[in-house]
Amino acid sequence: MTTQHLHAALAGNEYPGRGIVLGMDEAGEHMVIAYFIMGRSENSRNRIFVEKDGGIITKAYDESKMVDPSLIIYAPVRTLGDTTMVTNGDQTDTVYDFLARGKTFEEALRTRTFEPDAPNFTPRISGLVTLTGDKASYKLSILKSDENDPAYLRRYFFEYETPRPGIGHFIHTYRCNGQPIPSFEGEPERVTLAGDMDTLTQSIWSGLNEDNKVSLFVRFISMKDHTEQTRIVNKHCC
C-alpha cells in the first residue's frame, strides 16, 4: 500500500465528507485521533464542535438556521476508561453502550447500517483506540452500500494491533464529490502523521477544501501516562 502525506491526501480531494484518522505520532509517544466534518448544504455547514464529558458533540452554530438535526447532531467522540471511540454519527452511542456491557466494537456495529439519506446512503465510519499500559491498538470500520444501492449492505472491519510511529490510517465517507456522492472504497488510506499536535492540526485544517470544511477535532493521547491533549478548530468562530 502506498503512503501519502495526510495533507496531500486531503488537498487532492474536494469532498471526502467526514473523515477519521487514527495512528501514532512520529515520536512514538502519542496515539493520534483526528476527526473532521465537511458540508455542502447550509444546514450541514451550520455546525461547530464543542467539548463534552471527555469527548465532543456537534452543535448548531446558529440555532435559528437549523433545519433538520437528524444525522448531523451527534457525539462524534466519547471515552470509556482508556478507550476512545470516534464515529460520524449516533453509532458512537451504540459502540459506547456495547463496550460498557462488555461487548465488542464489531458486535455494536453489526446492529447498524449506512445512513438513510437517499440517494447518497452515506457510509457510517467508526474508529476505536485502546491503550493498555504502554501498548496501544486501533480499529476502523465502514458500513456502506454497494455503489449507492441500498439493497446491498457491506460491513468492513480493519484492526491495527501494533501502531507504527509516524503512520496513520485514514477513512472517509466519500471518494470525492459527485451526485450522488460516491462512497469510500477499499482499505483505509495509509498516511504519514508528521510533526507535533499543533503542526498536525494546522496541516489537516489547511488541507481541507476551504468552501466545504466545517470543523476539526485532534487529540494526542500519551503512551506513557494516557493523558490527553485536544485541539478543536471550527470554521465558525465560537
Side-chain angles (χ1 to χ4, degrees):
M1 179 180 288
T2 59
T3 304
Q4 276 191 288
H5 191 286
L6 180 54
H7 177 89
L10 293 167
N13 190 340
E14 178 187 38
Y15 200 67
R18 286 165 276 175
I20 298 171
V21 182
L22 303 180
M24 180 180 282
D25 73 336
E26 58 186 347
E29 296 176 350
H30 300 87
M31 291 303 293
V32 176
I33 301 171
Y35 177 66
F36 64 81
I37 59 174
M38 306 181 81
R40 300 193 305 177
S41 68
E42 182 179 12
N43 198 45
S44 291
R45 292 175 176 179
N46 180 36
R47 290 183 290 171
I48 56 174
F49 284 165
V50 177
E51 290 191 77
K52 182 178 180 181
D53 299 330
I56 58 170
I57 58 172
T58 61
K59 183 180 178 181
Y61 172 67
D62 184 341
E63 296 284 355
S64 69
K65 294 182 178 179
M66 176 56 65
V67 177
D68 179 7
S70 65
L71 301 180
I72 66 170
I73 300 300
Y74 55 94
V77 178
R78 295 188 67 179
T79 61
L80 181 65
D82 287 327
T83 296
T84 304
M85 57 219 76
V86 52
T87 89
N88 72 324
D90 64 8
Q91 73 267 26
T92 316
D93 298 332
T94 305
V95 173
Y96 182 95
D97 291 343
F98 269 66
L99 294 181
R101 302 201 312 267
K103 297 184 180 295
T104 67
F105 177 71
E106 293 82 2
E107 286 176 303
L109 293 171
R110 288 192 179 105
T111 70
R112 303 303 302 268
T113 184
F114 45 79
E115 294 183 352
D117 60 337
N120 298 314
F121 301 107
T122 298
R124 291 191 187 271
I125 56 173
S126 306
L128 192 76
V129 175
T130 303
L131 282 81
T132 306
D134 61 354
K135 305 293 183 183
S137 63
Y138 59 97
K139 298 179 179 182
L140 287 164
S141 171
I142 184 167
L143 314 178
K144 64 189 293 290
S145 66
D146 191 347
E147 294 295 334
N148 297 88
D149 188 335
Y152 300 95
L153 170 63
R154 302 291 182 256
R155 303 181 192 274
Y156 299 95
F157 298 93
F158 306 90
E159 188 167 2
Y160 305 89
E161 291 187 1
T162 50
R164 182 186 293 271
I167 296 296
H169 290 87
F170 173 34
I171 195 165
H172 40 101
T173 51
Y174 307 126
R175 291 200 302 272
C176 56
N177 213 343
Q179 193 63 38
I181 318 175
S183 295
F184 180 91
E185 285 189 350
E187 291 188 31
E189 298 165 9
R190 193 174 190 266
V191 293
T192 58
L193 302 177
D196 62 15
M197 185 177 198
D198 289 325
T199 300
L200 183 62
T201 300
Q202 175 58 29
S203 179
I204 296 172
W205 187 247
S206 64
L208 292 168
N209 180 270
E210 184 63 31
D211 292 333
N212 296 321
K213 66 185 179 183
V214 175
S215 295
L216 168 66
F217 163 92
V218 178
R219 174 166 288 173
F220 274 35
I221 306 175
S222 169
M223 294 287 294
K224 182 179 180 180
D225 59 15
H226 302 186
T227 55
E228 301 170 351
Q229 304 173 65
T230 298
R231 299 288 184 272
I232 291 175
V233 184
N234 290 307
K235 189 170 184 179
H236 290 297
C237 180
C238 56

